[in-house]
Amino acid sequence: MDRSRRVSGILLHLTSLPSLGGIGDMGPAAFAFVDFLHSAKQRLWQVLPLSPVGYGNSPYAALSAFAGNPLLISLEKLADGGWLPHERLQGLPPAQGPVNFAAASEKFALLVEAAQNFLDAPKGDEWQRFEYFCEEHRSWLNDWVMYAVLRRRFGYACWCDWPREFATRQPEALESLLRESRRELAIEQVIQFFFAVQWGELLAYCHARDVKVMGDVAIFVNYDSADVWTHPDQFSLDADLRPVEVAGVPPDYFSETGQKWGNPLYNWEAMRQDGFSWWVARVRRSMQLYDLIRLDHFRGFEAYWAVPAADETAINGQWVKAPGEALFATLRHELGMLPFVAEDLGLITPEVEALRMKFEMPGMKILQFGFGDRGAHSYLPHLYEENAVVYTGTHDNNTTLGWWVENTSEAERRNVQTYFGTFTHEAQVVWAMIRAAEASVARVCILPLQDVLHLGSSARMNTPALPDGNWSWRYEPDALHPDFASQLAALMEMTDRDGWVDPALEALGPPEEQGTED
């Protein structure tokens, strides 16, 4: 085995950073976190989708598959750049405690103020960069800014409830919008430009500190999104532009009634006929933002769970085949190397596994899943393959400490202690799980920051099927103690995970055959 190909990273969404303004962003805390990753010899930072969020604040229920979330823009960096007076930041929610989604309107008002200052400033080099950005991204940017302005104009109602001339994108209505709301549209363009500049700076800092970024592409998009409003022909809608069936998953580990996500399903035949152009554009955009890409709900590319839109639960759904092989072949032809990780959790069939292996994507192994009956042992390290990404848990799991204390059965607890030995206190299970994941043969290991910090269930990020109370966890400003970094760095050396290989871990494909081991 080429040990330089073994790496480790940390899962942390940007909103979980202790930033000024009540929500994590791309400001000083993000750069400090990259320094922590570097000192801990972590070579990957995995984030959740960076898209603007709608109802429920879930990054997996985004208003756009292409735009950036304005709330991730750092007001401090805008002030440092001269687009806001520093005194305007006084009185903002502090950089501690849970995410304050209620304060979002206050932050957005300051983003608008900064964008207005940008538009009114003398036109220099920064203006040329802005014009280049608008031209480069016009294929999605123009529709996004119209959607954002109209959504605000009509009281944040779903686009399907707007006046019909706007809901159906009548040319005369859109032309009137362009005439009457030119300034408001330009402000939205500038906000997206701010996002792009700050993300580019943060990504460059990551690369300078030997850290790559793994992004997350949610398989589906929100019905109330710029994507469905702009491309209704690409989705399975009825004559009134309403979904007949929606996405979800059948009953599983997380929910006895399944999960009715509510996302509209794709019109795969229409997508196939136009060469999957929407998907090509979406993945191209993701490859601009990230070094590696986790494909959420990978099994949905082989077959998806279609739920009647009128049903309250997902029990009565059915599996419908998807053209995953044709899609990935097209993406590979159009974009070349595909740095994908397949989120292959849930009910995985031989067909799903064959699709993943055909395109040489590593799958995911969740250590918390491995201690049930014997069928769960595929999640234990002694059965891993090299081309895999192992996690102690994900954003959908409880923290490892919370799982051990609150979610394990007596049988699971016995199995854990049979595997690792007896613990004298509860927190020891966390480091035992971390060591097992890092020492496994899997080429990539990802640890949620909550596990690195040994936090309990109060730090859980998301509980699937729970409609409220998710996505709000943030770590405290003083949480990244140097001892955590030293402990991780030592473990990386012992498990040969302190190297890196470019480009993008050679697309995360299977390792090359090695004649001898160094």
Side-chain angles (χ1 to χ4, degrees):
M1 179 190 299
D2 181 355
R3 290 188 291 260
S4 70
R5 298 170 62 92
R6 289 172 54 79
V7 296
S8 177
I10 290 180
L11 167 62
L12 179 80
H13 194 37
L14 266 69
T15 58
S16 295
L17 292 161
S19 305
L20 185 67
I23 187 170
D25 60 33
M26 297 179 283
F31 289 80
F33 179 68
V34 177
D35 290 338
F36 174 81
L37 292 174
H38 179 75
S39 62
K41 297 193 174 181
Q42 302 298 294
R43 307 304 188 198
L44 277 174
W45 178 4
Q46 182 178 336
V47 298
L48 306 185
L50 302 181
S51 309
V53 300
Y55 178 77
N57 302 306
S58 170
Y60 296 92
L63 301 176
S64 169
F66 294 81
N69 185 350
L71 297 182
L72 299 179
I73 298 171
S74 167
L75 295 174
E76 292 160 284
K77 289 181 69 67
L78 290 182
D80 291 342
W83 307 119
L84 272 177
H86 280 90
E87 56 267 23
R88 296 288 287 130
L89 309 186
Q90 296 175 4
L92 288 174
Q96 61 188 40
V99 173
N100 186 350
F101 291 110
S105 58
E106 183 178 357
K107 180 169 184 176
F108 188 78
L110 290 175
L111 292 174
V112 170
E113 182 179 331
Q116 290 175 327
N117 292 336
F118 180 91
L119 291 171
D120 294 335
K123 305 300 186 285
D125 292 343
E126 199 70 2
W127 183 263
Q128 291 182 344
R129 292 180 64 194
F130 169 64
E131 289 185 317
Y132 178 81
F133 168 80
C134 292
E135 180 60 30
E136 182 183 15
H137 298 283
R138 62 182 304 177
S139 61
W140 62 265
L141 181 62
N142 293 348
D143 291 307
W144 162 253
V145 301
M146 287 192 291
Y147 169 85
V149 169
L150 288 171
R151 187 168 182 268
R152 190 160 50 246
R153 175 185 294 184
F154 298 123
Y156 300 96
C158 175
W159 63 265
C160 59
D161 295 322
W162 297 349
R164 186 159 182 80
E165 65 270 21
F166 288 106
T168 58
R169 295 175 58 89
Q170 295 300 310
E172 298 82 0
L174 297 186
E175 288 171 7
S176 69
L177 175 68
L178 293 173
R179 288 194 308 270
E180 299 166 7
S181 303
R182 187 180 302 275
R183 174 80 171 188
E184 198 174 357
L185 294 167
I187 287 171
E188 293 290 344
Q189 288 178 313
V190 173
I191 289 173
Q192 286 301 307
F193 174 65
F194 286 158
F195 177 93
V197 169
Q198 290 193 7
W199 179 250
E201 291 172 350
L202 182 57
L203 194 62
Y205 191 77
C206 287
H207 293 169
R209 305 291 276 167
D210 299 319
V211 173
K212 298 294 175 100
V213 175
M214 182 190 296
D216 200 326
V217 170
I219 182 174
F220 298 114
V221 300
N222 243 17
Y223 175 57
D224 184 13
S225 66
D227 306 285
V228 182
W229 176 63
T230 304
H231 305 286
D233 58 305
Q234 302 284 290
F235 299 86
S236 293
L237 309 178
D238 63 19
D240 294 323
L241 301 180
R242 306 273 180 166
V244 178
E245 294 179 311
V246 296
V249 290
D252 61 8
Y253 170 87
F254 293 110
S255 173
E256 294 180 355
T257 59
Q259 299 175 47
K260 180 187 174 186
W261 295 336
N263 310 81
L265 299 174
Y266 295 112
N267 183 342
W268 281 116
E269 185 54 36
M271 287 186 159
R272 189 199 298 266
Q273 289 179 6
D274 80 349
F276 300 104
S277 61
W278 183 85
W279 270 103
V280 171
R282 184 184 188 189
V283 173
R284 179 180 287 115
R285 170 70 171 153
S286 297
M287 291 174 70
Q288 294 171 343
L289 294 172
Y290 314 118
D291 301 299
L292 311 172
I293 297 169
R294 172 188 178 272
L295 290 179
D296 182 57
H297 195 56
F298 176 77
R299 75 102 54 246
F301 291 103
E302 193 281 326
Y304 52 90
W305 190 249
V307 181
D311 283 13
E312 293 185 3
T313 73
I315 290 178
N316 296 322
Q318 61 179 339
W319 290 110
V320 180
K321 288 290 185 181
E325 184 171 347
L327 170 64
F328 292 125
T330 299
L331 291 173
R332 179 179 283 180
H333 178 265
E334 294 291 331
L335 303 174
M337 179 181 68
L338 299 176
F340 289 158
V341 170
E343 187 269 286
D344 55 345
L345 307 177
L347 181 61
I348 302 303
T349 64
E351 293 82 2
V352 177
E353 186 71 2
L355 179 64
R356 181 184 69 79
M357 295 181 68
K358 179 179 178 65
F359 292 93
E360 303 177 337
M361 303 178 198
M364 289 174 53
K365 301 294 184 182
I366 310 301
L367 199 49
Q368 288 183 19
F369 291 170
F371 300 97
D373 58 27
R374 191 154 186 163
H377 288 186
S378 63
Y379 290 104
L380 294 180
H382 65 275
L383 293 179
Y384 291 172
E385 59 186 20
E386 287 183 48
N387 195 33
V389 182
V390 56
Y391 295 76
T392 49
T394 73
H395 64 277
D396 283 331
N397 297 100
N398 203 340
T399 68
T400 292
L401 182 58
W403 164 79
W404 175 249
V405 172
E406 300 180 11
N407 297 135
T408 49
S409 65
E410 284 301 318
E412 286 176 308
R413 292 174 76 87
R414 286 195 300 271
N415 291 339
V416 169
Q417 294 189 328
T418 297
Y419 205 79
F420 295 120
T422 302
F423 307 122
T424 57
H425 58 83
E426 291 174 335
Q428 286 180 325
V429 70
V430 180
W431 192 245
M433 296 272 277
I434 289 175
R435 282 201 310 268
E438 298 286 6
S440 75
V441 71
R443 291 171 55 206
V444 180
C445 177
I446 303 290
L447 308 172
L449 183 65
Q450 294 95 316
D451 285 355
V452 173
L453 302 181
H454 289 57
L455 299 178
S457 58
S458 62
R460 182 169 184 163
M461 189 64 167
N462 179 51
T463 303
L466 185 70
D468 301 309
N470 293 318
W471 316 112
S472 62
W473 176 74
R474 291 201 298 174
Y475 70 85
E476 291 300 312
D478 59 352
L480 301 182
H481 195 280
D483 286 352
F484 288 121
S486 299
Q487 195 174 24
L488 279 177
L491 183 59
M492 296 310 100
E493 293 176 4
M494 285 301 300
T495 56
D496 298 308
R497 292 191 183 275
D498 55 345
W500 187 255
V501 62
D502 277 331
L505 215 69
E506 296 183 8
L508 285 178
E512 298 175 356
E513 294 295 328
Q514 301 294 321
T516 59
E517 187 172 311
D518 294 338

